[in-house]
Amino acid sequence: REEFLPADPVAFVDEQLAALGESAAAGAGADLRPAVNLRSATPEPLREAARVCAAHDAVAEVNAHCRQPELCAVGCGERLLRDEDRLREHVRTAAAAGATVSVKVRAEVSGVDLPAVAVAVAEAGAVQPIDLSANLDAHQHMVEQGDERQALVQTVAQGHADHRRAGFDAQA
């Protein structure tokens, strides 16, 4: 999508993170840890963006969330939820570049087992395994069904809620 494509995306990320760093050094937002939402159909472009994130102590957030048809058509965004091997490869690539990696997912996608996805991306190197941007009540209901693997969802969902209460929203 054109509105998300500056002439040099990696340089744009570097400039934006540098500006945040300058603001923090001046005392504004000193407790801020930025995150950069990374969308790619292949892992290679993630490597350089993740290096920039690491240089600025920013989280590299792999996007497995967007459901826009043009993004899904090329195999990124929500489409990665259905291709666990590719999603793990994306996470490994970003983590190997030295970045702290998180994964943003879409909840309630038919046929997608989010607890299994959370385990897979954590094993691939995601330090903040998953960002659930969805109705947390739905996840609490899954936990109440008694599946031990789904207890991970409650923990992760609570972490997401805590980030929001602290004013951290990786989508901002």
Side-chain angles (χ1 to χ4, degrees):
R1 293 176 45 167
E2 304 246 345
E3 68 268 30
F4 297 124
L5 291 177
D8 183 342
V10 175
F12 176 78
V13 168
D14 190 37
E15 291 165 9
Q16 296 300 304
L17 292 173
L20 285 173
E22 290 168 12
S23 292
D31 293 333
L32 176 71
R33 183 168 193 201
V36 177
N37 186 274
L38 304 174
R39 302 173 186 181
S40 180
T42 61
E44 294 77 25
L46 300 175
R47 187 178 334 277
E48 194 60 34
R51 281 188 189 128
V52 169
C53 289
H56 293 280
D57 194 32
V59 176
E61 181 184 71
V62 174
N63 185 311
H65 175 270
C66 288
R67 60 182 171 191
Q68 290 97 341
E70 61 273 22
L71 294 175
C72 290
V74 297
C76 66
E78 184 182 287
R79 181 63 68 80
L80 287 170
L81 292 176
R82 297 186 188 283
D83 191 341
E84 202 171 281
D85 289 338
R86 284 184 53 238
L87 180 56
R88 278 195 302 260
E89 185 179 3
H90 278 56
V91 170
R92 279 193 299 269
T93 298
T100 298
V101 180
S102 181
V103 178
K104 181 177 181 180
V105 302
R106 178 164 301 283
E108 301 176 6
V109 174
S110 179
V112 173
D113 181 353
L114 282 183
V117 170
V119 169
V121 299
E123 290 174 353
V127 176
Q128 296 174 314
I130 203 162
D131 173 9
L132 291 171
S133 295
N135 182 337
L136 298 181
D137 292 336
H139 298 288
Q140 181 62 36
H141 174 74
M142 290 190 315
V143 171
E144 290 169 359
Q145 298 306 307
D147 184 343
E148 285 185 27
R149 289 184 317 141
Q150 292 186 0
L152 177 60
V153 170
Q154 180 182 26
T155 302
V156 171
Q158 183 59 48
H160 177 72
D162 289 345
H163 284 312
R164 286 204 179 278
R165 279 194 293 275
F168 177 88
D169 184 352
Q171 297 178 64

